[in-house]
């Protein structure tokens, strides 16, 4: 039996960072992890965080529950038949309902081969404080991801005061009093905390919150035809509406040979130099992204 962990959490919460930390720790223990990553956009930017040599399957353009359990079962079948691994980590898109995603994994086809250990939800503590600014639909999904977790990673506490950390922790615990809460920065948790997890579905009503149903979350691929000024680009980012939750990709900057890896989540940006000539494009995720005016006014695909 191979243990399976499902990583849940809203867009930009820190799931990919958690995935990277867990992969390294499993490898240190002599265990070979395999990964299934689900992207809301057309490009698998997050999958570049997975080391070479790690079996990886990708599901693009939609959450597991919306893409269909048949496609998920096919990915699992290919992993089980074609790869050697000891533990499976599944990172869902930030628009996925965790219970719907877990149901897709719990197929009778794999009952004797996969042991579903549970849902690990990464909760963005900073976003929690401003949850009332979210649309009702996205706020409900945010709550559902926390409500149905077996382990909660209260992430980004380094951005909060001690009083805010206490307040957030108590409020999240009130929403789900069955799951342990681990306070973290950069989603760093020891894998020993995962060993005693058990995926018993909570006796709670599951509210549907899948993309394509109540949610209007969508993704947009934007290609840059010319380098942009970094200061002007960051000024554009600061003026984005609250309904833009996540951006990631490669932005060509004036004065630099290669595009920079760019990440945006909840008002915070990160730039990292890239030493290869990556395609200059970003994926934008949020509500009504088709109406967003992008710097340079370059048409998207």
């Amino acid at each position: 039996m191979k243990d399976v962990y499902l990583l849940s959490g809203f867009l930009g919460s820190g799931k990919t960072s958690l995935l990277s930390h867990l992969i390294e720790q499993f490898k240190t223990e002599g265990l070979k992890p395999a990964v299934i990553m689900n992207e809301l956009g057309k490009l698998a930017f997050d999958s570049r965080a997975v080391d070479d040599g790690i079996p990886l399957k990708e599901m693009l353009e939609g959450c597991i529950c919306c893409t269909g359990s048949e496609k998920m079962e096919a990915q699992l079948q290919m992993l089980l038949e074609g790869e050697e691994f000891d533990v499976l980590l599944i990172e869902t898109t930030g628009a996925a309902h965790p219970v719907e995603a877990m149901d897709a994994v719990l197929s009778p086809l794999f009952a004797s081969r996969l042991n579903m250990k549970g849902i690990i939800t990464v909760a963005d503590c900073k976003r929690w404080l401003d949850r009332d600014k979210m649309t009702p639909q996205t706020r409900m999904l945010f709550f559902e991801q926390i409500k149905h977790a077996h382990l909660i990673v209260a992430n980004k506490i380094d951005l909060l005061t001690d009083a805010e950390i206490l307040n957030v922790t108590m409020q999240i615990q009130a929403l789900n009093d069955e799951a342990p809460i681990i306070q973290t920065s950069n989603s760093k948790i020891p894998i020993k905390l995962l060993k005693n997890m058990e995926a018993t579905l909570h006796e709670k009503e599951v509210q549907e919150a899948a993309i394509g149903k109540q949610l209007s979350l969508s993704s947009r691929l934007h290609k840059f035809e010319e380098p942009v000024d970094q200061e002007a680009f960051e000024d554009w980012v600061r003026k984005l509406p609250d309904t833009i939750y996540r951006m990631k990709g490669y932005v060509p900057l004036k004065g630099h040979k290669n595009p920079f890896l760019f990440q945006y989540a909840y008002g915070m940006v990160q730039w990292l130099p890239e030493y290869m000539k990556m395609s200059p494009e970003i994926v934008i995720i949020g509500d009504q992204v088709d109406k967003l005016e992008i710097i340079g006014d370059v048409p998207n695909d």
Side-chain angles (χ1 to χ4, degrees):
M1 294 281 283
K2 302 181 188 298
D3 288 343
V4 181
Y5 298 93
L6 196 150
L7 312 186
S8 175
F10 200 69
L11 298 159
S13 59
K15 295 187 301 297
T16 303
S17 294
L18 174 62
L19 176 67
S20 297
H21 295 317
L22 294 180
I23 286 174
E24 289 306 311
Q25 291 182 73
F26 279 121
K27 288 168 61 178
T28 299
E29 288 203 352
L31 298 174
K32 183 176 183 179
V35 174
I36 293 179
M37 296 188 78
N38 189 208
E39 298 270 16
L40 191 60
K42 295 180 180 179
L43 297 181
F45 287 112
D46 286 343
S47 65
R48 293 165 186 169
V50 179
D51 296 340
D52 291 340
I54 300 294
L56 170 68
K57 299 296 181 183
E58 297 166 318
M59 298 175 64
L60 303 181
E61 294 195 85
C63 60
I64 289 170
C65 51
C66 301
T67 305
S69 59
E70 294 84 2
K71 185 173 181 179
M72 180 65 177
E73 289 175 4
Q75 300 281 28
L76 288 168
Q77 191 71 42
M78 285 190 287
L79 274 177
L80 288 168
E81 300 299 332
E83 302 285 355
E84 291 293 330
F85 65 96
D86 302 304
V87 59
L88 175 60
L89 302 169
I90 301 174
E91 180 186 341
T92 65
T93 173
H97 191 299
V99 173
E100 292 173 338
M102 189 169 77
D103 286 346
V105 179
L106 295 175
S107 167
L109 292 173
F110 314 116
S112 62
R113 306 175 71 180
L114 298 177
N115 176 35
M116 188 67 193
K117 293 285 285 183
I119 298 166
I120 305 171
T121 293
V122 183
D124 184 332
C125 293
K126 187 71 173 175
R127 188 182 293 276
W128 176 271
L129 290 177
D130 290 334
R131 61 194 180 279
D132 290 340
K133 296 180 180 179
M134 304 170 75
T135 63
Q137 294 89 349
T138 52
R139 185 167 61 247
M140 181 178 72
L141 174 61
F142 189 35
F143 287 176
E144 286 287 292
Q145 291 170 336
I146 295 170
K147 179 180 174 183
H148 295 282
H150 301 94
L151 176 67
I152 299 169
V153 178
N155 195 31
K156 304 186 183 179
I157 61 169
D158 53 311
L159 304 178
L160 276 59
T161 65
D162 289 344
E164 287 174 332
I165 293 172
L166 178 61
N167 188 33
V168 169
T169 303
M170 291 178 62
Q171 290 175 349
I172 291 178
Q173 191 74 80
L175 188 62
N176 182 349
D177 60 3
E178 298 176 28
I181 296 180
I182 310 300
Q183 298 174 346
T184 68
S185 299
N186 200 30
S187 302
K188 291 184 178 180
I189 65 171
I191 59 171
K192 65 181 181 181
L193 298 176
L194 279 58
K195 300 298 178 63
N196 295 324
M197 289 179 63
E198 184 178 351
T200 54
L201 284 176
H202 300 162
E203 294 181 1
K204 303 172 183 174
E205 182 181 359
V206 176
Q207 300 289 332
E208 285 192 348
I211 185 171
K213 298 179 183 178
Q214 290 96 335
L215 290 183
S216 58
L217 280 177
S218 59
S219 65
R220 175 176 171 180
L221 178 64
H222 175 79
K223 293 187 177 182
F224 295 91
E225 294 186 358
E226 299 289 340
V228 298
D229 179 78
Q230 183 173 352
E231 185 175 340
F233 187 83
E234 291 183 350
D235 183 60
W236 171 75
V237 169
R238 283 192 290 270
K239 296 175 181 176
L240 287 172
D242 292 337
T243 53
I244 302 301
Y245 300 114
R246 186 87 161 98
M247 289 192 293
K248 52 190 174 180
Y250 295 91
V251 178
L253 297 178
K254 291 181 178 178
H256 296 275
K257 179 181 178 181
N258 295 322
F260 272 58
L261 174 61
F262 172 79
Q263 298 219 43
Y264 166 89
Y266 194 57
M268 291 176 287
V269 302
Q270 180 184 45
W271 295 97
L272 292 174
E274 177 59 52
Y275 301 103
M276 297 178 62
K277 185 68 174 179
M278 306 303 295
S279 180
E281 52 196 6
I282 58 173
V283 169
I284 305 168
I285 303 171
D287 291 315
Q288 300 180 328
V289 295
D290 57 314
K291 299 179 181 179
L292 181 68
E293 291 187 11
I294 300 177
I295 185 170
D297 197 27
V298 180
N300 68 292
D301 282 1

